[in-house]
Amino acid sequence: MQRNTSQRKLVLDALASLEGEHPGAERVYERVHADHPTVSKATVYRILKDEAASGRVLGVDLPRDIGRFDSRTDGHYHIRCRICGKVADIERGCCGTDGLFVNNSGYEIEDVMIAFSGVCAECAAAERGRTGA
Amino acid sequence: MQRNTSQRKLVLDALASLEGEHPGAERVYERVHADHPTVSKATVYRILKDEAASGRVLGVDLPRDIGRFDSRTDGHYHIRCRICGKVADIERGCCGTDGLFVNNSGYEIEDVMIAFSGVCAECAAAERGRTGA
DNA sequence: ATACATGCAAAGTCTTTGCAGGATG
DNA sequence: CATCCTGCAAAGACTTTGCATGTAT
């Protein structure tokens, strides 16, 4: 479990205050730094990476763009503007909608990206070996 | 239209020879450089970016990973190993399959990422203005 | 008290850019 | 022959790392 440092709280608060902006680590750092100039950039990067790994924060995956974070961790999608790069949320479809999602973003959707993540055969075998199963 | 330079051909050939590997620009450079040491890295980067923009090459989007290319430009998906990072193709489902895709990759799928790309309201308005419509 | 987190600054990775000279259509 | 492309090297953005010190449990 992570320790409860003041810096960790500052980073999470800054991220929450930027909800909807889907900031990168650099942007979160700026925000923290504005009020707390002693907090170092390395710490912000470390904490965000850490929190994303543990799922307390969402690492946002976008076409041609990585390293952004979101304090919303519930299931939702994202859309990125091809021109200016701005990111918005797209809600999941459910209960009474026809499709997989509800585009209430105001964006014109041009493309959908689907990509998978998992474990390849070799790594799965290696893991089975290491677990002793 | 792009000019038909020897470097462009070398880059496209190298990419084709790496089909299935989904290499980054750096890797393509290595490959070109091995047989043609005079071709510069900047050129490889420029050509790949260019070709991806024009659609002659596919820019591959992956969870936590960008800047990879694929000489296959037909509709298909990708999966990335969470552990080693290796990327494989996943075919689209059709004609007789139940779902959206056919997992013949040998990977255990753990997660699906969906993200959209489009144009935000502001940029769309700006474009309409510029086009004079 | 002890193990983990932080700050700092340096290094690292990947990618882009400016410019002068060379190749293409 | 005008334009576009290339090579080179430097700059640039973003992120990670090592280490001594500070801090949470």
Side-chain angles (χ1 to χ4, degrees):
Chain A
M1 197 50 187
Q2 302 105 334
R3 288 193 176 171
N4 228 27
T5 64
S6 60
Q7 292 88 340
R8 187 169 295 266
K9 179 163 180 356
L10 287 171
V11 169
L12 293 176
D13 285 352
L15 181 62
S17 81
L18 294 168
E19 177 159 327
E21 188 176 316
H22 307 89
E26 197 69 31
R27 177 88 179 87
V28 176
Y29 169 69
E30 261 177 36
R31 186 70 160 230
V32 172
H33 189 78
D35 293 326
H36 306 271
T38 59
V39 176
S40 80
K41 188 178 285 199
T43 296
V44 174
Y45 274 82
R46 274 190 282 238
I47 290 174
L48 284 171
K49 194 178 176 184
D50 215 68
E51 293 283 318
S54 74
R56 296 213 294 167
V57 148
L58 184 70
V60 179
D61 285 306
L62 291 160
R64 315 268 84 196
D65 199 353
I66 57 174
R68 307 183 78 138
F69 300 91
D70 194 341
S71 56
R72 267 189 76 179
T73 55
D74 62 308
H76 67 286
Y77 308 125
H78 296 97
I79 183 163
R80 176 171 197 270
C81 178
R82 165 172 60 77
I83 299 170
C84 70
K86 196 170 53 191
V87 177
D89 292 324
I90 292 217
E91 305 303 321
R92 275 200 184 164
C94 73
C95 351
T97 53
D98 294 332
L100 284 162
F101 61 91
V102 180
N103 182 15
N104 54 353
S105 66
Y107 284 47
E108 294 164 16
I109 294 179
E110 293 179 337
D111 199 20
V112 188
M113 167 180 77
I114 298 182
F116 300 85
S117 170
V119 180
C120 73
E122 289 76 20
C123 287
E127 247 185 11
R128 267 191 298 278
R130 201 149 38 68
T131 317
Chain B
M1 198 51 190
Q2 303 104 334
R3 287 195 175 168
N4 229 28
T5 64
S6 61
Q7 291 90 338
R8 187 170 296 265
K9 177 159 179 6
L10 287 171
V11 169
L12 292 176
D13 285 352
L15 181 61
S17 82
L18 294 167
E19 176 157 328
E21 188 176 315
H22 307 88
E26 198 69 30
R27 178 85 180 89
V28 176
Y29 168 69
E30 260 177 35
R31 187 69 163 232
V32 171
H33 188 78
D35 293 327
H36 305 271
T38 60
V39 176
S40 81
K41 189 178 284 201
T43 295
V44 174
Y45 274 81
R46 275 190 284 238
I47 289 174
L48 285 170
K49 195 178 177 185
D50 214 69
E51 294 283 318
S54 74
R56 297 212 294 166
V57 149
L58 185 71
V60 179
D61 286 305
L62 292 160
R64 316 268 83 197
D65 198 352
I66 57 173
R68 307 183 77 137
F69 300 90
D70 193 341
S71 56
R72 266 190 76 179
T73 56
D74 64 307
H76 66 287
Y77 308 127
H78 295 98
I79 183 164
R80 178 172 196 270
C81 178
R82 165 172 61 76
I83 299 169
C84 70
K86 195 171 50 189
V87 177
D89 292 323
I90 292 215
E91 304 303 322
R92 276 200 184 163
C94 74
C95 354
T97 52
D98 293 332
L100 284 162
F101 61 91
V102 181
N103 182 15
N104 54 353
S105 66
Y107 284 48
E108 294 164 17
I109 294 179
E110 292 179 338
D111 199 20
V112 187
M113 167 180 79
I114 298 182
F116 300 85
S117 170
V119 179
C120 73
E122 289 77 20
C123 287
E127 247 186 11
R128 268 192 297 278
R130 201 149 37 68
T131 316

